[in-house]
Amino acid sequence: MDFRLSDGQQLLVNSAREFLRRRCPETVVAETVASERGSSAALWKEISLLGWPGLLVPPELGGSGGSMLDVSLLAEEMGRACLPSPYVTSAVVATSLLVRAVGPGPRERWLPAMAQGERLCTLALTEASGRFEREELR
């Protein structure tokens, strides 16, 4: 079995490492974590231009149709840089749930904007006795 990264995966790792080295030094991490938001909207826009939020989104919905291995390689580089970002909660957890657990209507409504980094999502759970008043994913 061949465990080497594909050319595309190696390019993802190398470009992510270089981008994060330049755009996410320790000083930026410290300032961002200390901010009220806890992440940088400007840095998220740059990440979005690289296509990272759309990695798990199917191509027909504006993503690149990547794999969990691709995301794992990217997340490893993000961890190396201590990137304070909503990437895992939105581009991995919420995206994975939308891709697999809802019908085509919600997928078509939410995933294109998520793939472009224009919309952030997160998973929210309530207790059985809890109420959820926001728009439902039907």
Side-chain angles (χ1 to χ4, degrees):
M1 182 173 269
D2 185 2
F3 289 106
R4 289 177 290 184
L5 299 179
S6 70
D7 290 343
Q9 290 166 335
Q10 193 60 59
L11 179 61
L12 176 64
V13 167
N14 292 343
S15 62
R17 186 173 296 173
E18 179 57 25
F19 172 82
L20 292 166
R21 184 192 62 73
R22 285 185 290 106
R23 295 293 296 125
C24 197
E26 290 179 23
T27 54
V28 169
V29 172
E31 289 170 10
T32 303
V33 170
S35 72
E36 185 176 326
R37 181 178 174 148
S39 64
S40 166
L43 189 55
W44 182 256
K45 282 184 180 184
E46 289 184 62
I47 286 169
S48 297
L49 291 174
L50 295 171
W52 295 355
L55 200 54
L56 292 178
V57 176
E60 63 272 15
L61 295 173
S64 59
S67 69
M68 280 304 254
L69 175 57
D70 299 329
V71 168
S72 297
L73 294 169
L74 183 56
E76 183 177 20
E77 294 307 317
M78 290 176 173
R80 180 188 313 275
C82 297
L83 174 69
S85 157
Y87 184 80
V88 172
T89 56
S90 187
V92 180
V93 176
T95 296
S96 295
L97 287 170
L98 285 167
V99 166
R100 290 173 183 79
V102 300
R107 282 196 296 266
E108 291 169 3
R109 184 170 61 237
W110 296 95
L111 288 173
M114 291 172 70
Q116 298 302 311
E118 297 166 359
R119 178 176 297 278
L120 295 173
C121 292
T122 192
L123 175 63
L125 301 174
T126 63
E127 297 289 331
S129 63
R131 294 179 51 189
F132 188 67
E133 303 295 329
R134 291 284 194 190
E135 177 185 356
E136 293 183 30
L137 295 175
R138 294 183 210 176

